[in-house]
């Protein structure tokens, strides 16, 4: 980081974020987190902390990852970081907590992606319920791959009913 201070200011923050990410990947998540908070450029700090969250999740510490994610001040970036936590909680067999966390995400499209991740790791009834929520939150493009997995005939049924409605109106 001392060497990075000698880099031109317009490139400095990006390099600092890269160092934080590498430090986390090499196992010093505590040091990476501390350095991440020390970055003064908001975008670079956000990017660095997202990398710390992802590494904490990869290393099996979703509680600490969630805590770091909630410390991110950019709401979109916080949601991006929380997707990894939702995935890990679902993998660990805590879908209820994962769903509550997914619903806490501010932006609808990001929340839909988190619910999609959760649905992919859920039992069929929960997955179908979550797929319906994804359709309400976002668009069909987000929901279709999920629907094909959890309710293969759903897409065909909706298309058939839409076709019937269009013929009745004509």
């Amino acid at each position: 980081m001392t060497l990075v201070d000698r880099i031109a200011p317009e490139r400095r923050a990006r390099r600092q974020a890269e160092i934080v990410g590498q430090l986390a990947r090499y196992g010093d998540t505590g040091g990476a987190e501390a350095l991440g908070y020390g970055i003064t450029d908001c975008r670079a700090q956000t990017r660095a902390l997202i990398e710390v969250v992802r590494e904490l999740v990869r290393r099996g510490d979703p509680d600490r990852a969630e805590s770091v994610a909630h410390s991110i001040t950019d709401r979109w970036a916080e949601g991006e970081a929380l997707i990894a936590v939702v995935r890990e909680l679902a993998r660990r067999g805590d879908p209820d907590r994962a769903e509550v966390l997914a619903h806490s995400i501010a932006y609808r499209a990001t929340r839909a992606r988190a619910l999609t991740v959760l649905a992919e790791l859920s039992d069929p009834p929960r997955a179908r319920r979550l797929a319906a929520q994804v359709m309400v939150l976002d668009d069909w493009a987000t929901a279709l791959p999920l629907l094909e997995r959890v309710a293969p005939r759903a897409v065909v049924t909706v298309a058939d009913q839409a076709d019937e409605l269009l013929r009745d109106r004509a």
Side-chain angles (χ1 to χ4, degrees), residues 116-117 119-122 127-128 143-152 155:
T116 299
V117 164
E120 290 170 351
L121 297 168
S122 295
R128 285 189 292 275
L144 276 177
L146 177 59
L147 278 175
E148 289 173 0
R149 290 185 65 224
V150 300
V155 176

Side-chain angles (χ1 to χ4, degrees), residues 33 37 53 61-72 82 85:
E33 182 180 353
Y37 289 127
V53 168
D61 193 351
D63 294 330
R64 189 161 151 230
E66 181 180 351
S67 177
V68 174
H70 284 305
S71 75
I72 297 172
L82 287 174
V85 181

Side-chain angles (χ1 to χ4, degrees), residues 74-97:
D74 179 286
R75 294 188 69 170
W76 176 85
E78 177 190 25
E80 287 296 314
L82 287 174
I83 290 173
V85 181
V86 167
R87 178 181 289 116
E88 181 63 16
L89 290 172
R91 280 187 186 149
R92 288 175 169 247
D94 197 351
D96 294 332
R97 181 175 166 203

Side-chain angles (χ1 to χ4, degrees), residues 21-44:
Q22 289 298 323
L23 189 58
R25 278 187 283 286
Y26 282 103
D28 187 2
T29 54
E33 182 180 353
L35 285 175
Y37 289 127
I39 296 173
T40 57
D41 180 87
C42 289
R43 272 198 218 160

Side-chain angles (χ1 to χ4, degrees), residues 163-170:
D163 190 43
E164 249 179 67
L165 281 172
L166 290 173
R167 273 187 271 143
D168 289 345
R169 288 187 179 177

Side-chain angles (χ1 to χ4, degrees), residues 1-147:
M1 290 300 260
T2 302
L3 291 175
V4 171
D5 287 339
R6 295 180 186 167
I7 294 175
E10 63 273 3
R11 295 189 326 204
R12 184 178 304 145
R14 190 175 116 230
R15 295 289 186 220
Q16 288 173 329
E18 289 171 2
I19 289 169
V20 168
Q22 289 298 323
L23 189 58
R25 278 187 283 286
Y26 282 103
D28 187 2
T29 54
E33 182 180 353
L35 285 175
Y37 289 127
I39 296 173
T40 57
D41 180 87
C42 289
R43 272 198 218 160
Q45 182 186 67
T46 295
R47 197 170 120 226
L49 292 176
I50 288 173
E51 288 302 315
V52 171
V53 168
R54 289 177 178 158
E55 189 57 31
L56 285 167
V57 165
R58 194 181 76 69
R59 291 177 178 275
D61 193 351
D63 294 330
R64 189 161 151 230
E66 181 180 351
S67 177
V68 174
H70 284 305
S71 75
I72 297 172
T73 56
D74 179 286
R75 294 188 69 170
W76 176 85
E78 177 190 25
E80 287 296 314
L82 287 174
I83 290 173
V85 181
V86 167
R87 178 181 289 116
E88 181 63 16
L89 290 172
R91 280 187 186 149
R92 288 175 169 247
D94 197 351
D96 294 332
R97 181 175 166 203
E99 187 171 349
V100 168
L101 189 59
H103 281 291
S104 76
I105 295 173
Y107 290 98
R108 293 170 61 99
T110 310
R111 188 178 331 137
R113 287 185 24 239
L115 291 171
T116 299
V117 164
L118 176 57
E120 290 170 351
L121 297 168
S122 295
D123 59 36
R126 180 185 291 259
R128 285 189 292 275
R129 182 176 54 77
L130 292 170
Q133 291 176 29
V134 168
M135 286 188 310
V136 170
L137 285 170
D138 207 10
D139 58 20
W140 281 92
T142 304
L144 276 177
L146 177 59
L147 278 175

